[in-house]
Amino acid sequence: MKLFTCEWCGQLLYFENVRCERCGHRLGYVPDAGTLSALEEAAETAGEWHPVGAPGRLLRFCANAGFAACNWLVPASSPERYCTACRHNRTVPDLSQPGNLSAWQRIELAKHRLFYTLLRLRLPLENRADNSQEGLAFDFLADPPAPGNGPQVMTGHDNGLITLALAEADDAERERRRTGMGEPYRTLLGHFRHEVGHWYWDRLVRDGAPWTLDACRALFGDDRRDYGEALQTHYANGAPPDWQEHFVSAYASSHPWEDFAETWAHYLHIVDTLEMADAFGVRVHPRAAGDGVPAATVHVDPYAAGQGIERIVEAWLPLVFALNNLSRCIGAGDLYPFILSPAAIRKLGFIHELVQAAGAAADDGSLAPRREGRARSRAAGG
């Protein structure tokens, strides 16, 4: 995520801001420009806006802005009611039920951060209008109102459809699930990044060139292994004792699909955080002596073409060491409670090369459309 400033007065902004607190201008995100723009209301048409930095453009807000669930804009001439991110929503919760609106708003904040990164990486983003069978879509579902009235919603992915339990937007409930499952980290944004990794495995690995699938299996393992059985074994026995030598998380050891999705999520964590650290000019130069103390200048563009994973990891490790120490100083847990082994870094390198190739293919138009009819069921909860 980059750092945004108000185009009118220069005030620093958060990605989610809808109004500049200094000058009062309405704010909206323009996806094709990658800009959180100060807006002037169009005199000629009600409900339409001109960006201060591009007064010749005429835009309107996504329909979900009416629920305070989106601050993205679409061209005024577009037939679409929804922005690039919200067009992927298939089901939103019943907003007449108490608490559902605020929970959905929190979910949308995380989802829009996901889409910021996916768009910056120039990754394919088919929705169900583009591909009715396997396009990327989201169901945000609430649990039954009373226990016993039906099964609880499980977060998971199935052939492009990502289901996210509305309960995950409740911090206390999500923390209860995190501790109950023995997880070091559980966030809404983390859920999105993990689950979308399953879809990109289908899109970029399964439907990619044959060598891509072979290379992926060589690193992550054979995905033809029975998925349901693998998860049952994992939940019954836990991760192998040496999992940290081979995987980015304990859950990644359960099956090659989960290893890929966990590694994909960590790659997006790294890319997004490094971009923001660079925007703030963060420098990590510890005063403690010794060869074991990391130092780095976080001046790396994680989106730059032709850059290897080594440079990215060299900037990442000292940064998270500093962030974890700062977090401990205020009595909180580590912001990044993970260890990147050489094996995990090699897997991150595969993801990085896959993403770079997909972005380059999108630029030259060579990324083939997804082939219909190759759907394969994956149990929810992964």
Side-chain angles (χ1 to χ4, degrees), residues 132-149:
S132 61
Q133 298 299 311
E134 297 184 83
L136 181 63
F138 299 96
D139 281 352
F140 305 130
L141 305 178
D143 288 327
N149 285 4

Side-chain angles (χ1 to χ4, degrees), residues 19 112 178 181 282 327 329 350:
R19 186 171 301 279
H112 281 72
R178 186 191 70 79
M181 299 181 74
V282 173
S327 183
C329 287
F350 176 86

